[in-house]
mmCIF file with all atom_site columns, all heavy atoms in Angstrom:
data_model
loop_
_atom_site.group_PDB
_atom_site.id
_atom_site.type_symbol
_atom_site.label_atom_id
_atom_site.label_alt_id
_atom_site.label_comp_id
_atom_site.label_asym_id
_atom_site.label_entity_id
_atom_site.label_seq_id
_atom_site.pdbx_PDB_ins_code
_atom_site.Cartn_x
_atom_site.Cartn_y
_atom_site.Cartn_z
_atom_site.occupancy
_atom_site.B_iso_or_equiv
_atom_site.pdbx_formal_charge
_atom_site.auth_seq_id
_atom_site.auth_comp_id
_atom_site.auth_asym_id
_atom_site.auth_atom_id
_atom_site.pdbx_PDB_model_num
ATOM 1  N N   . ILE A 1 197 ? 24.157 -20.923 30.958 1.00 0.00 ? 580 ILE A N   1
ATOM 2  C CA  . ILE A 1 197 ? 25.393 -21.384 30.448 1.00 0.00 ? 580 ILE A CA  1
ATOM 3  C C   . ILE A 1 197 ? 25.210 -22.836 30.172 1.00 0.00 ? 580 ILE A C   1
ATOM 4  O O   . ILE A 1 197 ? 24.768 -23.627 31.032 1.00 0.00 ? 580 ILE A O   1
ATOM 5  C CB  . ILE A 1 197 ? 26.552 -21.141 31.435 1.00 0.00 ? 580 ILE A CB  1
ATOM 6  C CG1 . ILE A 1 197 ? 26.758 -19.620 31.724 1.00 0.00 ? 580 ILE A CG1 1
ATOM 7  C CG2 . ILE A 1 197 ? 27.872 -21.709 30.892 1.00 0.00 ? 580 ILE A CG2 1
ATOM 8  C CD1 . ILE A 1 197 ? 27.745 -19.361 32.826 1.00 0.00 ? 580 ILE A CD1 1
ATOM 9  N N   . ILE A 1 198 ? 25.717 -23.276 29.003 1.00 0.00 ? 581 ILE A N   1
ATOM 10 C CA  . ILE A 1 198 ? 25.755 -24.733 28.611 1.00 0.00 ? 581 ILE A CA  1
ATOM 11 C C   . ILE A 1 198 ? 27.264 -25.080 28.564 1.00 0.00 ? 581 ILE A C   1
ATOM 12 O O   . ILE A 1 198 ? 27.961 -24.570 27.647 1.00 0.00 ? 581 ILE A O   1
ATOM 13 C CB  . ILE A 1 198 ? 25.037 -25.019 27.309 1.00 0.00 ? 581 ILE A CB  1
ATOM 14 C CG1 . ILE A 1 198 ? 23.543 -24.725 27.504 1.00 0.00 ? 581 ILE A CG1 1
ATOM 15 C CG2 . ILE A 1 198 ? 25.247 -26.470 26.975 1.00 0.00 ? 581 ILE A CG2 1
ATOM 16 C CD1 . ILE A 1 198 ? 22.707 -24.913 26.203 1.00 0.00 ? 581 ILE A CD1 1
ATOM 17 N N   . LEU A 1 199 ? 27.734 -25.825 29.496 1.00 0.00 ? 582 LEU A N   1
ATOM 18 C CA  . LEU A 1 199 ? 29.136 -26.160 29.638 1.00 0.00 ? 582 LEU A CA  1
ATOM 19 C C   . LEU A 1 199 ? 29.390 -27.606 29.130 1.00 0.00 ? 582 LEU A C   1
ATOM 20 O O   . LEU A 1 199 ? 28.693 -28.554 29.575 1.00 0.00 ? 582 LEU A O   1
ATOM 21 C CB  . LEU A 1 199 ? 29.522 -26.059 31.085 1.00 0.00 ? 582 LEU A CB  1
ATOM 22 C CG  . LEU A 1 199 ? 30.969 -26.549 31.441 1.00 0.00 ? 582 LEU A CG  1
ATOM 23 C CD1 . LEU A 1 199 ? 32.032 -25.609 30.950 1.00 0.00 ? 582 LEU A CD1 1
ATOM 24 C CD2 . LEU A 1 199 ? 31.062 -26.796 32.976 1.00 0.00 ? 582 LEU A CD2 1
ATOM 25 N N   . LEU A 1 200 ? 30.345 -27.733 28.149 1.00 0.00 ? 583 LEU A N   1
ATOM 26 C CA  . LEU A 1 200 ? 30.670 -29.066 27.686 1.00 0.00 ? 583 LEU A CA  1
ATOM 27 C C   . LEU A 1 200 ? 32.108 -29.311 27.968 1.00 0.00 ? 583 LEU A C   1
ATOM 28 O O   . LEU A 1 200 ? 33.018 -28.500 27.630 1.00 0.00 ? 583 LEU A O   1
ATOM 29 C CB  . LEU A 1 200 ? 30.350 -29.126 26.186 1.00 0.00 ? 583 LEU A CB  1
ATOM 30 C CG  . LEU A 1 200 ? 30.629 -30.580 25.561 1.00 0.00 ? 583 LEU A CG  1
ATOM 31 C CD1 . LEU A 1 200 ? 29.644 -30.754 24.403 1.00 0.00 ? 583 LEU A CD1 1
ATOM 32 C CD2 . LEU A 1 200 ? 32.059 -30.650 25.085 1.00 0.00 ? 583 LEU A CD2 1
ATOM 33 N N   . SER A 1 201 ? 32.414 -30.399 28.585 1.00 0.00 ? 584 SER A N   1
ATOM 34 C CA  . SER A 1 201 ? 33.829 -30.791 28.942 1.00 0.00 ? 584 SER A CA  1
ATOM 35 C C   . SER A 1 201 ? 33.914 -32.290 28.811 1.00 0.00 ? 584 SER A C   1
ATOM 36 O O   . SER A 1 201 ? 33.012 -33.051 29.101 1.00 0.00 ? 584 SER A O   1
ATOM 37 C CB  . SER A 1 201 ? 34.191 -30.339 30.360 1.00 0.00 ? 584 SER A CB  1
ATOM 38 O OG  . SER A 1 201 ? 35.505 -30.723 30.669 1.00 0.00 ? 584 SER A OG  1
ATOM 39 N N   . ASP A 1 202 ? 35.169 -32.687 28.395 1.00 0.00 ? 585 ASP A N   1
ATOM 40 C CA  . ASP A 1 202 ? 35.468 -34.120 28.279 1.00 0.00 ? 585 ASP A CA  1
ATOM 41 C C   . ASP A 1 202 ? 36.576 -34.540 29.284 1.00 0.00 ? 585 ASP A C   1
ATOM 42 O O   . ASP A 1 202 ? 37.163 -35.605 29.105 1.00 0.00 ? 585 ASP A O   1
ATOM 43 C CB  . ASP A 1 202 ? 35.850 -34.452 26.826 1.00 0.00 ? 585 ASP A CB  1
ATOM 44 C CG  . ASP A 1 202 ? 37.282 -33.976 26.560 1.00 0.00 ? 585 ASP A CG  1
ATOM 45 O OD1 . ASP A 1 202 ? 37.723 -32.923 27.176 1.00 0.00 ? 585 ASP A OD1 1
ATOM 46 O OD2 . ASP A 1 202 ? 37.936 -34.598 25.716 1.00 0.00 ? 585 ASP A OD2 1
ATOM 47 N N   . GLY A 1 203 ? 36.801 -33.663 30.256 1.00 0.00 ? 586 GLY A N   1
ATOM 48 C CA  . GLY A 1 203 ? 37.929 -34.000 31.196 1.00 0.00 ? 586 GLY A CA  1
ATOM 49 C C   . GLY A 1 203 ? 37.647 -33.614 32.583 1.00 0.00 ? 586 GLY A C   1
ATOM 50 O O   . GLY A 1 203 ? 36.483 -33.430 33.017 1.00 0.00 ? 586 GLY A O   1
ATOM 51 N N   . ALA A 1 204 ? 38.715 -33.429 33.330 1.00 0.00 ? 587 ALA A N   1
ATOM 52 C CA  . ALA A 1 204 ? 38.590 -32.965 34.758 1.00 0.00 ? 587 ALA A CA  1
ATOM 53 C C   . ALA A 1 204 ? 39.365 -31.693 34.959 1.00 0.00 ? 587 ALA A C   1
ATOM 54 O O   . ALA A 1 204 ? 40.346 -31.439 34.223 1.00 0.00 ? 587 ALA A O   1
ATOM 55 C CB  . ALA A 1 204 ? 39.248 -34.025 35.678 1.00 0.00 ? 587 ALA A CB  1
ATOM 56 N N   . ASN A 1 205 ? 38.918 -30.875 35.768 1.00 0.00 ? 588 ASN A N   1
ATOM 57 C CA  . ASN A 1 205 ? 39.487 -29.540 36.062 1.00 0.00 ? 588 ASN A CA  1
ATOM 58 C C   . ASN A 1 205 ? 41.016 -29.738 36.533 1.00 0.00 ? 588 ASN A C   1
ATOM 59 O O   . ASN A 1 205 ? 41.175 -30.346 37.581 1.00 0.00 ? 588 ASN A O   1
ATOM 60 C CB  . ASN A 1 205 ? 38.718 -28.734 37.059 1.00 0.00 ? 588 ASN A CB  1
ATOM 61 C CG  . ASN A 1 205 ? 39.208 -27.320 37.237 1.00 0.00 ? 588 ASN A CG  1
ATOM 62 O OD1 . ASN A 1 205 ? 39.006 -26.535 36.306 1.00 0.00 ? 588 ASN A OD1 1
ATOM 63 N ND2 . ASN A 1 205 ? 39.875 -26.997 38.287 1.00 0.00 ? 588 ASN A ND2 1
#
Side-chain angles (χ1 to χ4, degrees):
I580 297 172
I581 297 177
L582 171 73
L583 185 148
S584 178
D585 73 332
N588 189 73

